[in-house]
Every structure is written in C-alpha cells, then in structure tokens.
Amino acid sequence: MSGAREYVLEQPTGTPEALRAAVALIAPGSLAAFDAARAEALRRARTDASAAPLRR
C-alpha cells in the first residue's frame, strides 16, 4: 500500500480523552463527528438523569 499509513496501537483506555486521542491519530477527519456524538451523549445524560435517588 503505497502512501497508506499503518498504525499499531495498543487499545486505548475507555476514557473519552484516550479514545479521542486515538481517533485524532488514526482518523483525524472523524474528530468533528466524534466530538458531536460525545456532546450529544453528554446532553442526553444530563437531560435524562435524575438526582432523586441521591435525595433519599
């Protein structure tokens, strides 16, 4: 494969920062989609989460 990059990476930890760093390295064109999906997931978590169990 001339011109193709090949990466051998250890599997990143499950943290968002480690996953984002891996995406940045192997697929930088996908960072915007990764960031958008993460922002939407955080928004949904904040919207759907309830603090009721903490108040008992």
Side-chain angles (χ1 to χ4, degrees):
M1 286 191 245
S2 66
R5 293 184 189 173
E6 291 189 34
Y7 294 98
V8 177
L9 300 175
E10 290 184 25
Q11 183 171 343
T13 61
T15 66
E17 295 79 15
L19 296 172
R20 188 178 192 285
V23 171
L25 182 62
I26 62 173
S30 297
L31 276 177
F34 179 89
D35 290 339
R38 181 179 177 202
E40 174 60 17
L42 288 170
R43 185 198 65 75
R44 281 195 341 258
R46 288 183 184 124
T47 300
D48 299 343
S50 171
L54 298 175
R55 294 186 187 133
R56 291 184 183 169

